[in-house]
Amino acid sequence: LLASSAASDVYKRQGVAAGADLVFFETFTDLYELKAALLAAKENCDLPILASMSFEAGGRTFTGCTVESFAVTARGLGANAVGINCSSGPDQMGSVVRMMHRAAGDTPIAAKPNAGLPTITETGEAVYSMGPEAFVRHMQALKASGAALLGGCCGTTPEFIAAMRSLK
């Protein structure tokens, strides 16, 4: 956890000064760390902020933060969008997206799942279970569940993102 003043300095140097268009906090698992990051960013810039946490299937981070607590806190601290990323494939993210959609009100929801769950080979390589076509089919369901911003995390490639252009 960065101290608030240290976090402020980092965001000031790397975000605003570098010409960023958006502050995107992703893969957070601890609400207190995310709170410090959000406050630091809000103190140092007026860029839009997307805050995303990594949730397990039951709707909690591994540190115990609930979807609802995250959505309400991040929204209250000025996040322009909230979301979920990493942690699972799009076929397992639906219930979390629906919970977040209910808790976040009119704040846009982002979903950036992995390309399914990985299998680790003997050489230590992660091989993901889903190809672009299956990924897009499941992303359509996430969109119907309330996700307004769609992307990909671990195991996705430019082909996955290109395939999502077909979503209506």
Side-chain angles (χ1 to χ4, degrees):
L1 175 63
L2 288 174
S4 185
S5 64
S8 293
D9 290 343
V10 169
Y11 295 115
K12 188 174 186 178
R13 271 195 327 274
Q14 294 184 353
V16 179
D21 297 316
L22 167 76
V23 176
F24 187 4
F25 297 114
E26 69 175 343
T27 322
F28 277 73
T29 58
D30 186 281
L31 189 57
Y32 292 112
E33 288 181 0
L34 181 60
K35 182 179 175 182
L38 282 164
L39 291 172
K42 292 302 278 186
E43 288 174 11
N44 288 289
C45 72
D46 60 357
L47 295 173
I49 299 172
L50 193 164
S52 182
M53 292 189 85
S54 183
F55 292 93
E56 296 177 0
R60 290 184 181 270
T61 66
F62 80 86
T63 60
C65 179
T66 66
V67 172
E68 296 85 359
S69 295
F70 157 66
V72 170
T73 302
R75 182 178 172 198
L77 291 172
N80 301 91
V82 295
I84 177 176
N85 76 290
C86 208
S87 68
S88 66
D91 53 332
Q92 301 163 329
M93 218 177 246
S95 63
V96 173
V97 168
R98 285 187 294 278
M99 284 187 271
M100 194 173 296
H101 184 63
R102 284 190 299 270
D106 61 355
T107 302
I109 306 298
K112 285 184 55 182
N114 295 340
L117 294 177
T119 301
I120 307 301
T121 66
E122 290 179 10
T123 62
E125 179 186 7
V127 177
Y128 289 85
S129 61
M130 203 172 282
E133 296 78 21
F135 186 82
V136 169
R137 281 194 307 276
H138 291 293
M139 293 303 284
Q140 183 67 49
L142 290 181
K143 185 176 178 185
S145 294
L149 306 166
L150 304 172
C153 203
C154 302
T156 62
T157 64
E159 291 78 23
F160 284 74
I161 305 308
M164 282 195 294
R165 289 187 188 136
S166 68
L167 292 174
K168 304 282 186 237

